[in-house]
Every structure is written in C-alpha cells, then in structure tokens.
Amino acid sequence: NAGVTQTPKFQVLKTGQSMTLQCAQDMNHNSMYWYRQDPGMGLRLIYYSASEGTTDKGEVPNGYNVSRLNKREFSLRLESAAPSQTSVYFCASSDRLNQPQHFGDGTRLSIL
Amino acid sequence: AQSVAQPEDQVNVAEGNPLTVKCTYSVSGNPYLFWYVQYPNRGLQFLLKYITGDNLVKGSYGFEAEFNKSQTSFHLKKPSALVSNSALYFCAVRADSTSGTYKYIFGTGTRLKVLA
C-alpha cells in the first residue's frame, strides 16, 4: 500500500532553472495539498486542491504553480527557482472533511 | 486570524516519565484539531484528532490529548515516555477559507527528546 508517493526524493537545481515535483496518491482522496517545511517555521501551505479540477492558493504561493492532473495526481512547478525556495516539500492528501491528512516522505530541494 | 501555537521548541523528558507537548489555537467557530508526528527523513504521521465529544482523545501508540475550550488548548500527553517517542510533533487546526473550502494550519513543531 503506497499511500502518497513523491518524486524525486532529492534534487539540486541552479538559480533560474525550472522543475516539477510530482505527487500521486492511491487512496482515492478528493483533497491534495503541497507544503514546504523550513527549520523553525513548521509546515506552510503552498497550494491545495479541494477536489479534482480546483486549486487554491495557500499561505506562500509566490513562485509556484500547481496542476491537479486528475484525482490521483497533483504536481508543483517552480518556473524559475530561487535560493529562497530551498526547502523540503511535502505532498498530502485527505478524504472527507475532518479526516487526517496522509503525507508523502518529501522532496528535498536545494537551489544553488 | 486563525492560528496554532506550539510554545516550546523542544521538550526533554526521562524515559518512563509522563510527557506533555503543548498546543494552543485560535479559530473562528468550532475547532477541529490534530496531532502528527514526524520521524527523521519521513513525512508526518497522524496520531489523533478532536472533532467533537469527549475532551480526552485517545490516539495511536499510547498518546492522548486533552481539549480545553476555555483555555483554547489541545495538549498532547503520554503517561510513560519511550526513547522511541523522540521525534518532531506538530499540532494542526482546520481553517475555513474564503472560497468555502478547508485547509489546515500547522504549528511550528516541538522536538521531543526522551532520555534513557
């Protein structure tokens, strides 16, 4: 039972490069989320998708775009990477309202 | 503004002693509260939640949490700590967005260190 799968697990980019972080869940969940985790700041929501076909901005959306490709997949794109985007990125999904979120194991992204 | 606060960056406790990890919240309406645990190089794992009902909520791995509406707190507790409980703990609250959907706000995390 895979749960939430994130690829890649690690990535190093140069400033200005672009890349897409992939996330897929196999639990038939409606809602999916992207967070970034930085030391001392906890998890901050970047974007979320309450259901297939919808996306909303979270707390820190600048510099990112998302695509809810289908019910299973929710990708996060950095168009022009900046050193401030060095972080650990987590994808999560949840089913019905007030149910807990299930997290992937993260993508560790370094931007030089 | 809706928010969650975890006032302690780190909590140290001796193995076998009770542990408490503190969380306070600020929300409009009824609070929906969660605790998660994170081990090194892993994603967050759900421990327990409070939606409604009894103020003492029991969860996974012997953890429980006490909801206190008057103090707007949701502290995580365990009667007897284990070294394996050493990890990063996050409190989270459901927040209502202006678009009518829901999202979750996380605290900054508390690192629990259980000493043998």
Side-chain angles (χ1 to χ4, degrees), chain A residues 42-63:
Chain A
L43 268 71
R44 293 182 292 169
L45 182 64
I46 305 171
Y47 272 94
Y48 66 108
S49 172
S51 60
E52 187 178 357
T54 68
T55 60
D56 282 289
K57 294 180 180 179
E59 182 184 356
V60 288
N62 291 345

Side-chain angles (χ1 to χ4, degrees), chain B residues 11-20 81-82 86 112-116:
Chain B
V11 170
N12 295 327
V13 63
E15 188 174 31
N17 282 2
L19 69 88
T20 298
L82 300 172
S86 298
L112 174 68
K113 187 173 284 189
V114 181
L115 307 170

Side-chain angles (χ1 to χ4, degrees), chain B residues 5 42 91:
Chain B
R42 299 300 303 275
C91 182

Side-chain angles (χ1 to χ4, degrees), chain A residues 33 35 37 40-43 45 48 50 56 90 97-101 103-105 108, chain B residues 32 34 36 38 41-44 46 49 51 90 94 97 101-104 106-108:
Chain A
Y33 309 81
Y35 296 92
Q37 182 178 21
M41 304 197 73
L43 268 71
L45 182 64
Y48 66 108
D56 282 289
F90 287 99
L97 186 62
N98 295 331
Q99 293 304 308
Q101 294 177 300
F103 285 81
D105 282 337
R108 284 147 186 83
Chain B
Y32 300 93
F34 301 80
Y36 292 84
Q38 184 183 32
N41 300 315
R42 299 300 303 275
L44 278 67
F46 169 72
K49 67 179 180 181
I51 304 299
F90 288 96
R94 193 196 88 181
S97 70
T101 58
Y102 301 96
K103 55 187 178 182
Y104 297 86
F106 285 79
T108 52

Side-chain angles (χ1 to χ4, degrees), chain B residues 68-85:
Chain B
N68 187 316
K69 188 172 184 178
S70 63
Q71 296 185 2
T72 62
S73 66
F74 188 54
H75 300 332
L76 182 70
K77 299 173 184 287
K78 189 167 189 258
S80 178
L82 300 172
V83 172
S84 58
N85 294 143

